[in-house]
Amino acid sequence: MTLKINKGIYLLWPLLVAISCSQANKSEGVKTADAASCSDNLPSRYGVLVKNDPDSSISSSSSASTKGMKWIPAGKFLMGATDQQGRADEYPSHEVKLDGYWMDEREVTNAQFAEFVKKTGYITVAERKPDWEEIKKQLPAGTPKPADDILVAASLTFNPPSRPVPLHDASQWWAWTPGADWKHPEGPQSNLKGKDNYPVTQVCWEDANAYAKWAGKRLPTEAEWEYAARGGQKNTIYPWGNEQIEGGKPKANTWQGSFPNKNTDWDGFHGVAPTGSFPANGYGLYDMAGNVWEWVSDWYAIDYYVTQKSKIATNPQGPDKSFDPDEPTVPKKVTRGGSFMCNSAYCMGYRVAARMKSSPDTGLQNTGFRCVKSASTR
């Protein structure tokens, strides 16, 4: 099966990506997700979102086997934060009812994504060089061309400083790196040797969605993701229960020590870990906390939970459109689960209710995905 890539470009924006929690370039008079941001002043560049027509992007080459997936039974749950640890966009908690579905027990791996690329010829967004001739058609006449070192295939990589730095300035530890992509997640000198079982990273929402369609699956909704992460438990803070992240034995791949300059590696890993390195939750799902953030299908809107208050939502799909007051002109998709960079004093993204937002054309060194499959019966 071959892949048809539509190379039309339909939108251009300055790309300011939230990495470990939400941006906070405050819009006057509009409530933002949290009072203090851990990702202020992120590096920016021109971001190009590639337009893919639903019927011409890719076709499934899979029978959508449920091998490697776990059945998540139908049920109701209280979605959102119920304690005092959440950010503003995690409230109010609200009741959700879901049909049963299948979910990948692990994050999609490098080996799985490589098979997709081999069979389809797919080229990820991070590997595509922005085309200025196409871009300028959608900009005001006379807009100056960006520097050549901006208009190159690139992605964001983590570059930890050697000393403590203010946590409101993420440009201290993130940088656009030419040549960084899913095959070179830490930059052009890195590779995937010996990392077949690691989660694929540097894939944007567009890439993850393309893979899911090819696999005969789809990305989970935000509600499906949170329900599955809870593993059948009610009102717990983490996928494993309520024990603090550094209490007892290591339970997830997160950051210990002083972020972003010192990781003690207490959990046994310095960066991304192989999938399944920590115990599964109650539904048999691995890495629903830490390791890499995971794309879901929903658009991000800061007030979405407010609109769900006092009603039972059945199989919710999220808001119809995105709105982030921190960057009103940039549509965002939701990511879930936290990453190896989340720290108890910095970003508690490994909580089951924690949410993050990111533009759908952006790949990151700490972001991957897993898929789900709808099924009325087992």
Side-chain angles (χ1 to χ4, degrees):
M1 190 66 62
T2 59
L3 173 67
K4 298 178 181 178
I5 301 174
N6 187 318
K7 296 183 179 179
I9 301 172
Y10 74 89
L11 189 59
L12 171 71
W13 55 63
L15 188 57
L16 300 175
V17 184
I19 305 300
S20 297
C21 64
S22 299
Q23 293 104 320
N25 296 322
K26 307 296 188 252
S27 298
E28 185 176 356
V30 180
K31 185 176 182 180
T32 52
D34 50 7
S37 172
C38 63
S39 54
D40 215 7
N41 194 32
L42 281 160
S44 64
R45 60 160 283 176
Y46 281 86
V48 178
L49 186 61
V50 175
K51 182 179 180 181
N52 285 319
D53 296 327
D55 295 332
S56 64
S57 55
I58 62 174
S59 298
S60 173
S61 63
S62 170
S63 59
S65 167
T66 55
K67 181 180 180 180
M69 305 184 82
K70 295 295 185 181
W71 176 251
I72 312 301
K76 293 181 181 180
F77 79 110
L78 202 58
M79 183 175 180
T82 56
D83 57 18
Q84 301 302 311
Q85 298 185 52
R87 290 170 31 255
D89 62 357
E90 297 172 25
Y91 301 100
S93 58
H94 51 283
E95 194 166 9
V96 170
K97 181 180 179 181
L98 295 174
D99 296 334
Y101 54 98
W102 295 90
M103 176 173 263
D104 289 345
E105 65 180 23
R106 299 169 188 248
E107 296 148 336
V108 172
T109 65
N110 288 318
Q112 291 172 315
F113 199 80
E115 180 184 10
F116 161 60
V117 169
K118 180 179 180 180
K119 291 184 176 180
T120 64
Y122 184 82
I123 300 173
T124 63
V125 172
E127 297 173 277
R128 306 176 203 173
K129 180 180 179 180
D131 185 343
W132 172 244
E133 293 304 313
E134 290 294 326
I135 291 172
K136 71 179 182 181
K137 293 176 183 178
Q138 302 175 57
L139 297 175
T143 299
K145 181 181 178 181
D148 288 340
D149 62 354
I150 291 177
L151 292 174
V152 297
S155 204
L156 281 167
T157 60
F158 178 51
N159 296 277
S162 60
R163 64 189 187 286
V165 296
L167 295 181
H168 64 273
D169 184 4
S171 67
Q172 297 288 321
W173 57 87
W174 284 97
W176 283 102
T177 304
D181 55 47
W182 75 274
K183 292 177 290 188
H184 311 92
E186 298 174 38
Q189 303 305 314
S190 63
N191 58 61
L192 300 181
K193 185 177 181 179
K195 295 184 177 180
D196 281 356
N197 194 39
Y198 282 61
V200 64
T201 61
Q202 299 292 14
V203 286
C204 70
W205 187 93
E206 302 292 330
D207 305 325
N209 192 51
Y211 173 94
K213 183 175 181 179
W214 168 79
K217 303 177 184 180
R218 59 179 174 83
L219 296 179
T221 65
E222 187 175 12
E224 287 172 335
W225 197 98
E226 183 173 325
Y227 179 64
R230 292 179 179 276
Q233 302 182 94
K234 293 184 178 180
N235 301 327
T236 52
I237 302 173
Y238 313 107
W240 55 84
N242 289 323
E243 184 178 57
Q244 293 300 307
I245 185 69
E246 293 181 31
K249 297 180 179 180
K251 294 172 283 292
N253 181 19
T254 60
W255 189 282
Q256 300 85 45
S258 174
F259 185 85
N261 61 298
K262 183 180 180 180
N263 188 350
T264 66
D265 303 340
W266 171 73
D267 58 22
F269 299 96
H270 190 72
V272 178
T275 62
S277 295
F278 297 87
N281 74 355
Y283 287 145
L285 304 172
Y286 295 94
D287 300 311
M288 297 300 283
N291 214 20
V292 296
W293 287 97
E294 299 180 15
W295 291 109
V296 298
S297 62
D298 299 37
W299 289 110
Y300 173 83
I302 191 172
D303 63 347
Y304 177 64
Y305 282 19
V306 176
T307 68
Q308 303 302 299
K309 184 180 180 180
S310 302
K311 65 180 181 180
I312 299 176
T314 301
N315 299 318
Q317 305 295 305
D320 293 332
K321 59 183 179 179
S322 172
F323 178 66
D324 175 12
D326 295 333
E327 291 184 286
T329 63
V330 182
K332 303 284 179 64
K333 288 287 188 177
V334 176
T335 57
R336 285 300 204 115
S339 77
F340 70 90
M341 294 170 60
C342 286
N343 176 265
S344 59
Y346 165 66
C347 171
M348 298 179 68
Y350 42 76
R351 294 176 297 106
V352 290
R355 314 172 71 209
M356 201 264 275
K357 53 190 176 180
S358 188
S359 56
D361 63 342
T362 302
L364 309 164
Q365 189 180 329
N366 67 344
T367 303
F369 67 102
R370 75 180 71 211
C371 302
V372 297
K373 182 180 183 296
S374 301
S376 57
T377 63
R378 295 186 64 178

